[in-house]
Amino acid sequence: MRDKAKLKMKVNGKTHSVEVEPDASLLEVLRDQLNLRGTKKGCEEGECGACTVLIDGLPVVSCLTPALKCQGLSVETVEGMEDGKKLHPLQEAFLETGAVQCGYCTSGMLMSSRHLLEKNTNPTAEEIKIGLSGNLCRCTGYVQIIEAVLSAVKKIKESEK
Amino acid sequence: MRVYTTIGQSVTKVDGREKVTGRTVYAGDEVFPDLLYVKVARSDRPHAEILEIDLSSAKNIPGVVGVWTAHDLPGANATGTRIKDESVLCSKRVRRVGDPVVLIAAKSLRAANSAKESVSIGYRDLPAVFDPEEALRPEAPRIHESGNLLFEKKMIKGDVEAALSKCAYVITNTYRTQRIEHSYLEPEAGTAYMDGKKLTVKLPTKHAHFEQDELAKILGLDRKDIRVICAPIGGYFGDKQGLSPGYYAAIVTRLTGFPAQMVYERRESFEVSTKRHPYIIQMTTGADKEGHLEAVKVDILVDTGAYASYGPSIIGRGVVHAVGPYRVKNIHVKGRLVYTNNPVCGSMRGFGVPQVAIACESQMDLLAEAVGKDPFEIRRINCLQAGEENASGQTLKASVGLTECLGEVERIQESLPPHPREIDPQYLTGWGLAIIYYGIGLTGLPNPGVAQMSVEPGEKVQLCVGVGDGGQGAFTTLLQIASENLGLSQGDFNLLSADTLTTPNSGTSTASRITYVVGRAVTEACHHLAGQVGKKVAANWGVMDLVFEDGHYHCGVRKISFREAVDTLVNEKLLAEGIFDPPTTPTDKETGLGSPYATYAFAAHAAQVSVDRETGQVNVLRIIASHDVGKMIHPVHVYGQVQGGAMMGLGYGLLENVIVKKGRILNPGFRAYLIPSSMEVPEFHISVVECPEPTGPYGAKGVGEPSLLPTAPAIHNAVARATGQYLFDNPVAMEDVWRALS
Ligand code: FES
Ligand code: FES
């Protein structure tokens, strides 16, 4: 009898083959087996958004996503955001505008923001609020996070000039 | 005005890069080979005697390393912040749902969870009490030997009854506030391991040295054999001190020798962590015919739950602040703290003051209406000015920027264009105003901040402080203060924080005291260090009078920077320590009068709300916040505190409520316990007032807690303006608003 399942998925561009418990969540596999602990566990009930990652570009709460559902898919986490030593414009903007206080919601916020900007390169503050509404932050009151996303939009535009 | 190089600049958050790249290692992110996973089996009864505990099936689960009860504990089985009334593991009796009974360690989280499920505890239920008024009746079941009245605190000045009998206006109402949950995004966590002979615990905590003392007793070890390191804190808002996962992990390491880790599940965190106390407040406000306050009488009854936690200190602060930032000659405040079998309440941002602020500020608006004055005017004629005496009889010598805050809010409010909802027939709208003050530092107690520094040629300057950073930016701020003092920048320092092995005890990260108290200690340490280096410079130059200014030593035309002086003239390691204990006096035992705080922060908020005429749904459209912080060290962080605090205040006033039925929390998670999301963010207008505090570092006071205090009261007043009816219960409930409308 097999008690572990074989899972092959891409994480931040790199292919991983791991043996997982059949009921393991993506969050568990990322954190405990692939040692990618930048993705946070805030509730394990799909309610806080701290565990948000992208699967084939779409945001999911990894705590409620069975790891086996990612068979053959491509997962992006906060650890894949930097380009070498260079921060992603969103990371830079978060750092500059005060969008990071305790930092526990940050990875999830960054992933949701990334998805938002891929869908909509020029969002309004109202659209950002909607885009981030599944990610809770208890520290900042969201204002500086919204400012960060707006500032990242500017940074991206400037870098494309 | 003095020009600073770093004070007042929004420099890069020192721990920010780690956080945006996901590299910050929180206590639950620690990895060890042979790590044991820790779980605690808990009581599902609010009040019961433990008859038997059956561990046999739990012990047989593969991977389970140990299953322990109170009898196996290595040291004291009593803990608590103020009173040691809590058991680490209960042996005979449980007093609330969630009381810890059995400790489990296993090689995998799955095994630990299965073991927890298969522990069976036999109980005999005891009569329980869930209402603070009932708990005070003689026939009520006793929750602790000492009786259910845990603590009583009074503040008495003048003759309140005589004064009330002469007042032109007397307004009495009863206010009720709810329990709320801190809801930090990082659930409590802790990791313990042996580092040589030292049992080392990493946990997010607001006071590492307190944990070390407490753990020494619980583990039956000498303090010096325990090292507590404050892990990065994923939010705390007043909580994260005392019995928590780090304690249980430490016990497992003590019992097995293996590294151990425990992380609370969200549900467990809701059930077990302390809440903001629910208050029942009866307040009588008396004023003369112009609306000048003559007398205020307050009776506060507080349900603290099954254990004391920070309760006595919280009611102490609540009583001192009950009258608000007003000039009142006749005062009678009584606060009683009562044990029940409900969830435990403890320290939360605002520490006993958010509750009284709602009552106090509603009363002021009611008074304004009765007298026929507007909300700004009634506050302006009554609020404290520098040189005046506050409720506790303390003369506020300086740094009283309340009138300025009020002026700022009024100016901004008048400058705003009408909100589109003001002309939308579906909505009623209204503005509400509230003002507060908040004592910085512990109430009437010595609470020294300590900072140590050292320097040697070619090395970074080392700064050691015993506090962690809760996300507010404490580290960045303390480094700015050190940089400004020595003419250096952030990169010139090596900061050591909250580690019982390497840093001094700087007191607890509470009462908005880090910037003011610890920041001032950093300034003192810098002065001593600069003095020592200065002696070397003077000796080398052969001069007597040397001036240290802008990071340089000067004598006539000769000049050398602090850094150059260290690198070229110092040939040893120099050490310096700075201590600052804010000048306070304990409050009088009988009258509660005295000078409990060295300085106060002030604030005014206005909130504009819309109320849906059909449903009673309240939305906050705009918040105007003005804060007197003394001096803004880091503007982005101050704004972050004001916005984050105001949003927490919005949650308190409108959304959040821990629903408890027979001692059980019915909404222990974010699905049914709603904290504000990005969708609730209103339009913000912030104005910072700087009335320098002479004893603060560069004039700074604090802002962490003041930021949340006026928001909920302002929302109440706004709803009252919009609907024409005051609601005396917090949070403002949709059904109550709906009833008010129909
Ligand atoms: S941990 Fe996944 S949503 Fe909270
Ligand atoms: S920064 Fe702490 S939860 Fe968002």
Side-chain angles (χ1 to χ4, degrees), chain A residues 27 40-51 61-64:
Chain A
L27 179 64
K40 298 298 173 211
K41 180 155 84 181
C43 70
E44 278 189 292
E45 293 171 350
E47 292 293 329
C48 75
C51 66
V61 280
S62 60
C63 68
L64 293 188

Short mmCIF file of all heavy atoms in Angstrom, two decimals, chain A residues 27 40-51 61-64, ligand 1:
data_model
loop_
_atom_site.label_atom_id
_atom_site.label_comp_id
_atom_site.label_asym_id
_atom_site.label_seq_id
_atom_site.Cartn_x
_atom_site.Cartn_y
_atom_site.Cartn_z
N LEU A 27 0.03 24.68 1.51
CA LEU A 27 0.76 25.45 2.52
C LEU A 27 1.73 24.56 3.30
O LEU A 27 2.90 24.91 3.50
CB LEU A 27 -0.23 26.14 3.48
CG LEU A 27 0.40 26.97 4.60
CD1 LEU A 27 1.18 28.15 4.05
CD2 LEU A 27 -0.69 27.49 5.56
N LYS A 40 2.79 32.49 5.00
CA LYS A 40 2.42 32.39 6.43
C LYS A 40 1.11 31.68 6.65
O LYS A 40 0.22 31.69 5.81
CB LYS A 40 2.34 33.80 7.04
CG LYS A 40 3.65 34.55 7.00
CD LYS A 40 4.72 33.83 7.80
CE LYS A 40 6.08 34.49 7.62
NZ LYS A 40 7.18 33.52 7.72
N LYS A 41 1.04 31.14 7.87
CA LYS A 41 -0.18 30.45 8.29
C LYS A 41 -0.86 31.34 9.32
O LYS A 41 -0.36 31.51 10.43
CB LYS A 41 0.23 29.12 8.91
CG LYS A 41 -0.89 28.29 9.41
CD LYS A 41 -0.49 26.82 9.43
CE LYS A 41 0.26 26.44 10.71
NZ LYS A 41 0.67 25.05 10.73
N GLY A 42 -1.98 31.94 8.94
CA GLY A 42 -2.65 32.84 9.88
C GLY A 42 -3.91 32.23 10.47
O GLY A 42 -4.32 32.60 11.57
N CYS A 43 -4.55 31.31 9.75
CA CYS A 43 -5.81 30.78 10.28
C CYS A 43 -6.09 29.35 9.85
O CYS A 43 -6.79 28.63 10.52
CB CYS A 43 -6.97 31.68 9.86
SG CYS A 43 -7.33 31.61 8.09
N GLU A 44 -5.54 28.93 8.72
CA GLU A 44 -5.83 27.60 8.15
C GLU A 44 -7.32 27.38 7.93
O GLU A 44 -7.79 26.26 7.92
CB GLU A 44 -5.27 26.50 9.06
CG GLU A 44 -3.80 26.26 8.83
CD GLU A 44 -3.33 25.03 9.57
OE1 GLU A 44 -3.30 25.05 10.81
OE2 GLU A 44 -3.00 24.05 8.89
N GLU A 45 -8.05 28.46 7.77
CA GLU A 45 -9.48 28.35 7.52
C GLU A 45 -9.89 29.13 6.28
O GLU A 45 -11.07 29.36 6.06
CB GLU A 45 -10.26 28.88 8.75
CG GLU A 45 -10.09 28.01 9.98
CD GLU A 45 -10.66 28.65 11.23
OE1 GLU A 45 -11.03 29.84 11.21
OE2 GLU A 45 -10.73 27.93 12.25
N GLY A 46 -8.89 29.57 5.53
CA GLY A 46 -9.20 30.29 4.30
C GLY A 46 -9.76 31.68 4.51
O GLY A 46 -10.36 32.26 3.62
N GLU A 47 -9.54 32.24 5.70
CA GLU A 47 -10.19 33.51 6.02
C GLU A 47 -9.27 34.72 6.08
O GLU A 47 -9.75 35.85 6.05
CB GLU A 47 -10.89 33.39 7.39
CG GLU A 47 -12.07 32.44 7.39
CD GLU A 47 -13.24 32.95 6.55
OE1 GLU A 47 -13.42 34.17 6.45
OE2 GLU A 47 -13.96 32.11 5.98
N CYS A 48 -7.96 34.51 6.21
CA CYS A 48 -7.11 35.68 6.47
C CYS A 48 -6.25 36.09 5.29
O CYS A 48 -5.79 37.23 5.21
CB CYS A 48 -6.23 35.44 7.70
SG CYS A 48 -4.85 34.31 7.41
N GLY A 49 -5.97 35.17 4.39
CA GLY A 49 -5.18 35.53 3.21
C GLY A 49 -3.67 35.53 3.41
O GLY A 49 -2.93 35.78 2.46
N ALA A 50 -3.19 35.26 4.63
CA ALA A 50 -1.74 35.30 4.87
C ALA A 50 -1.00 34.25 4.06
O ALA A 50 0.18 34.38 3.78
CB ALA A 50 -1.44 35.10 6.35
N CYS A 51 -1.70 33.20 3.65
CA CYS A 51 -1.08 32.07 2.95
C CYS A 51 -1.25 32.17 1.44
O CYS A 51 -1.02 31.20 0.73
CB CYS A 51 -1.71 30.78 3.45
SG CYS A 51 -3.45 30.68 2.96
N VAL A 61 -5.81 30.60 -1.56
CA VAL A 61 -5.36 30.43 -0.17
C VAL A 61 -4.76 29.02 -0.08
O VAL A 61 -5.47 28.03 -0.22
CB VAL A 61 -6.49 30.65 0.85
CG1 VAL A 61 -6.73 32.12 1.07
CG2 VAL A 61 -7.78 29.97 0.44
N SER A 62 -3.45 28.97 0.13
CA SER A 62 -2.76 27.67 0.03
C SER A 62 -3.14 26.76 1.19
O SER A 62 -2.99 25.56 1.11
CB SER A 62 -1.25 27.87 -0.03
OG SER A 62 -0.79 28.53 1.12
N CYS A 63 -3.67 27.33 2.30
CA CYS A 63 -4.04 26.48 3.43
C CYS A 63 -5.21 25.57 3.11
O CYS A 63 -5.36 24.53 3.72
CB CYS A 63 -4.35 27.34 4.67
SG CYS A 63 -5.83 28.35 4.53
N LEU A 64 -6.04 25.97 2.17
CA LEU A 64 -7.20 25.15 1.83
C LEU A 64 -7.04 24.47 0.47
O LEU A 64 -7.96 23.84 -0.02
CB LEU A 64 -8.48 25.99 1.83
CG LEU A 64 -8.95 26.54 3.16
CD1 LEU A 64 -10.32 27.18 3.03
CD2 LEU A 64 -8.98 25.47 4.24
S1 FES C 1 -3.89 30.75 6.58
FE1 FES C 1 -4.87 30.46 4.72
S2 FES C 1 -6.36 31.97 4.71
FE2 FES C 1 -5.52 32.15 6.67
#
